[in-house]
């Protein structure tokens, strides 16, 4: 590859992340273009309000149904088709739900709890056998019932599918106001469906490449606030932060190791951009690649023994792997002439990536289980989709896209059949990162 083209490719990666605008209240839109024929039909009946207080504005059943539907594994019955409102299993007329071809029914109620909390009771019933499969109560706080709804959706998802749900998780993303006189760039953290956004850091200079620590306590990111590039580790709850690197040239693409003790990153301090690993406690660096090509975008395999990265050493960007302790590299992607920005599922079986073809960039998923070289499925339509990030249970992929002249976020089911769009009141949003599971 010619030097001019190589520099252009790296510049494109940086500029793509920095082409931002402002954000406001998140609005959730669930878009199901075709749906999945095998999706499990489920009815989440509106919960009865049995508290003495004024009803909360959160519609628990709507949030739960939307969560389950956007995973692609379930198909929630539309609210207009729910013609009865049982709040307990004994009130369910199962014949009606059999007629509607439903497999499951969820009912529930909100009662007063201790210390100014709510007690939320819910039940999951199978329609065919008319059996109670789950009956639990959780606590919720006034003004925060969306969190309770996400937790209930997680429990239902796990009970039916045997896999932990990932709705009660968080996402991070970057926005910017680009006014000439007063630009502002910011990193936000929000619920997995884009609601309840909280701005955690902002500056007049750009931020790029947010990455979560495996315990969800920290975000690493690249900041341009001191003129050049620096990598920071930022404690989300307190706002305290530590600058990890500020070498001359590129300081980019931080990625925490699975145990949280190390960080893979891209540095050009010794010449070309190469992959390094830093011991976070001591700041000691180990260089993993040493090549005249551009090596960037490291991501760890779940076992902590290998790191995937993007390199143009074969002429065009492809994904490679290298031992986390150093050693020989090997090419991972073989389908397509442009593959970048790898993100690995929790079990290492799937790799989400950006696949380019004639200036159209889409999200593809490499399934490593189905053959020796893996099979690739494109799950988005482009034309400029980037920054894929798996949910911690690999059921969905969060990514950024452009619609017209603005950026939006999507969460697609891993097969691409169901897409949830997160739009924002003003302008663009880029570079999403899906956080880990939160403590139960």
């Amino acid at each position: 590859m010619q030097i001019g083209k190589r520099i252009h490719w790296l510049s494109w990666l940086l500029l793509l992340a920095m082409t931002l605008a402002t954000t406001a209240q998140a609005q959730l839109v669930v878009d199901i273009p075709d749906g999945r024929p095998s999706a499990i039909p489920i009815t989440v009946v509106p919960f009865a309000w049995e508290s003495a207080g004024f009803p909360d504005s959160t519609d628990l059943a709507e949030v739960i149904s939307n969560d389950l539907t956007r995973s692609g594994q379930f198909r929630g019955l539309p609210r207009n088709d729910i013609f009865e409102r049982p709040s307990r299993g004994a009130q369910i007329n199962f014949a009606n739900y059999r007629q509607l071809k439903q497999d499951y029914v969820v009912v529930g109620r909100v009662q007063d709890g201790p210390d100014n909390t709510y007690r939320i009771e819910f039940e999951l019933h199978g329609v065919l056998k008319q059996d109670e499969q789950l009956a639990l109560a959780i606590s919720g706080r006034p003004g925060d019932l969306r969190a309770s709804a996400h937790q209930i959706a997680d429990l239902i998802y796990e009970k039916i599918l045997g896999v932990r749900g990932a709705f009660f998780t968080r996402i991070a993303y970057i926005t910017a106001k680009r006014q000439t006189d007063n630009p502002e760039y910011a990193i936000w953290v929000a619920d997995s469906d884009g609601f309840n956004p909280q701005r955690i850091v902002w500056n007049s200079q750009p931020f790029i490449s947010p990455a979560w620590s495996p315990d969800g306590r920290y975000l690493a990111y690249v900041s341009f606030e001191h003129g050049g590039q620096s990598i920071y580790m930022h404690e989300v709850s307190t706002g305290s932060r530590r600058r990890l690197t500020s070498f001359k040239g590129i300081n980019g693409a931080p990625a925490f190791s699975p145990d949280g003790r190390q960080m893979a990153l891209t540095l050009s301090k010794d010449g070309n951009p190469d992959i390094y690993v830093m011991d976070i406690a001591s700041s000691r660096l180990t260089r993993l690649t040493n090549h005249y090509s551009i090596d960037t975008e490291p991501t760890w395999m779940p076992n902590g023994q290998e790191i995937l990265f993007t390199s143009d050493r074969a002429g065009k960007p492809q994904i490679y792997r290298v031992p986390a302790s150093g050693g020989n590299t090997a090419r991972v992607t073989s389908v397509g002439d442009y593959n970048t920005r790898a993100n690995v599922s929790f079990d290492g079986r799937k790799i989400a990536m950006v696949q380019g073809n004639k200036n159209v960039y889409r999200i593809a998923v490499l399934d490593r289980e189905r053959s020796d070289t893996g099979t690739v499925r494109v799950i988005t339509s482009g034309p400029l989709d980037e920054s894929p990030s798996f949910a911690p249970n690999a059921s969905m992929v969060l990514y950024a896209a452009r619609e017209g002249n603005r950026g939006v976020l999507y969460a697609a089911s891993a097969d691409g059949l169901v897409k949830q769009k997160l739009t924002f009141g003003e302008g663009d949003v880029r570079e999403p990162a899906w956080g880990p599971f939160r403590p139960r």
Side-chain angles (χ1 to χ4, degrees):
M1 179 179 286
Q2 297 176 356
I3 294 296
K5 291 183 178 179
R6 293 174 64 240
I7 293 174
H8 172 74
W9 170 62
L10 186 59
S11 298
W12 180 85
L13 291 173
L14 294 173
L15 290 173
L16 188 63
M18 294 166 58
T19 306
L20 306 169
T22 188
T23 186
Q25 180 69 31
Q27 300 174 347
L28 172 64
V29 179
V30 178
D31 172 30
I32 308 177
D34 298 309
R36 175 186 284 166
S38 61
I40 299 169
I42 188 169
T43 298
V44 185
V45 179
F47 282 27
W49 189 264
E50 299 179 357
S51 166
F54 191 77
D56 192 272
S57 60
T58 298
D59 187 329
L60 287 161
E62 181 179 48
V63 176
I64 295 167
S65 183
N66 281 343
D67 278 349
L68 295 172
T69 298
R70 65 193 175 96
S71 74
Q73 299 289 342
F74 295 88
R75 183 171 62 252
L77 187 68
R79 177 63 58 89
N80 292 339
D81 295 338
I82 302 176
F83 52 85
E84 60 182 12
R85 303 294 174 92
S87 60
R88 289 164 173 80
Q91 301 169 347
I92 298 175
N93 186 336
F94 287 99
N96 290 336
Y97 294 101
R98 283 197 297 271
Q99 186 175 2
L100 291 169
K101 298 181 179 179
Q102 299 297 289
D103 287 356
Y104 296 93
V105 179
V106 178
V107 296
R109 53 265 176 201
V110 181
Q111 303 171 341
D112 290 320
D115 301 323
N116 193 34
T117 63
Y118 296 121
R119 175 181 170 86
I120 307 167
E121 300 177 346
F122 72 97
E123 303 165 29
L124 170 67
H125 292 263
V127 173
L128 181 62
K129 296 182 178 180
Q130 301 184 26
D131 58 336
E132 180 183 271
Q133 300 198 6
L134 190 64
L136 293 172
I138 68 171
S139 179
R141 296 188 177 278
D144 195 28
L145 289 189
R146 292 192 67 87
S148 303
H150 292 319
Q151 293 175 70
I152 293 171
D154 281 347
L155 292 167
I156 294 169
Y157 187 98
E158 185 170 7
K159 179 62 180 180
I160 296 174
L161 299 179
V163 178
R164 184 174 179 181
F167 308 115
F168 185 54
T169 53
R170 295 178 294 177
I171 63 174
Y173 55 90
I174 295 175
T175 64
K177 298 177 182 179
R178 301 192 59 174
Q179 302 98 323
T180 302
D181 296 334
N182 188 28
E184 181 186 277
Y185 298 81
I187 299 178
W188 298 73
V189 169
D191 295 348
S192 68
D193 59 2
F195 282 81
N196 298 323
Q198 304 292 323
R199 187 175 63 167
I200 68 162
V201 63
W202 58 97
N203 197 272
S204 61
Q205 300 299 318
F207 300 103
I208 60 174
S209 303
W212 289 91
S213 64
D215 60 3
R217 182 179 174 184
Y218 297 97
L219 275 172
Y221 52 82
V222 177
S223 172
F224 290 74
E225 62 195 85
H226 297 291
Q229 300 176 29
S230 300
I231 295 177
Y232 282 89
M233 192 170 88
H234 187 118
E235 188 170 24
V236 174
S237 62
T238 66
S240 64
R241 60 182 190 157
R242 169 187 166 194
R243 186 158 63 171
L244 298 179
T245 71
S246 57
F247 298 107
K248 183 179 179 180
I250 294 171
N251 297 259
F256 283 96
S257 62
D259 64 7
R261 297 178 181 178
Q262 300 179 88
M263 184 176 293
L265 38 85
T266 301
L267 301 174
S268 64
K269 68 184 187 69
D270 296 317
N272 286 307
D274 278 300
I275 306 302
Y276 292 75
V277 167
M278 170 184 283
D279 177 81
I280 295 175
S282 66
S283 298
R284 181 175 58 85
L285 287 169
T286 301
R287 187 174 183 174
L288 300 189
T289 66
N290 187 358
H291 200 276
Y292 61 81
S293 65
I294 295 172
D295 295 342
T296 187
E297 300 174 342
T299 188
W300 294 77
M301 293 297 289
N303 60 15
Q305 301 301 308
E306 288 186 311
I307 292 174
L308 304 186
F309 65 97
T310 302
S311 177
D312 63 355
R313 60 185 61 197
K316 293 183 179 180
Q318 293 291 341
I319 296 169
Y320 292 77
R321 69 173 181 263
V322 63
S325 58
N328 295 329
T329 63
R331 184 166 164 174
V332 173
T333 51
S334 58
V335 177
D337 60 3
Y338 183 106
N339 294 289
T340 68
R341 201 68 180 261
N343 185 264
V344 187
S345 63
F346 74 97
D347 54 8
R349 296 175 179 176
K350 293 180 173 63
I351 300 173
M353 57 192 174
V354 177
Q355 191 169 86
N357 182 25
K358 297 180 180 179
N359 294 321
V360 175
Y361 301 93
R362 300 177 296 179
I363 306 303
V365 174
L366 170 63
D367 190 336
R368 306 173 73 204
E369 283 189 297
R370 300 195 176 185
S371 70
D372 292 337
T373 58
T375 59
V376 176
R377 176 171 184 160
V378 176
I379 66 170
T380 72
S381 57
L384 189 57
D385 302 335
E386 54 103 10
S387 301
S389 180
F390 273 113
N393 65 357
S395 63
M396 293 176 279
V397 179
L398 186 66
Y399 66 97
R402 292 206 70 80
E403 295 184 347
N405 62 353
R406 68 183 304 188
V408 296
L409 298 187
Y410 275 92
S413 57
D415 58 12
L417 294 180
V418 178
K419 297 182 179 68
Q420 170 211 352
K421 181 170 70 174
L422 287 70
T423 59
F424 295 81
E426 304 174 31
D428 298 350
V429 57
R430 305 300 293 180
E431 293 218 73
W434 206 315
F437 287 120
R438 300 166 83 172
R440 291 182 186 262

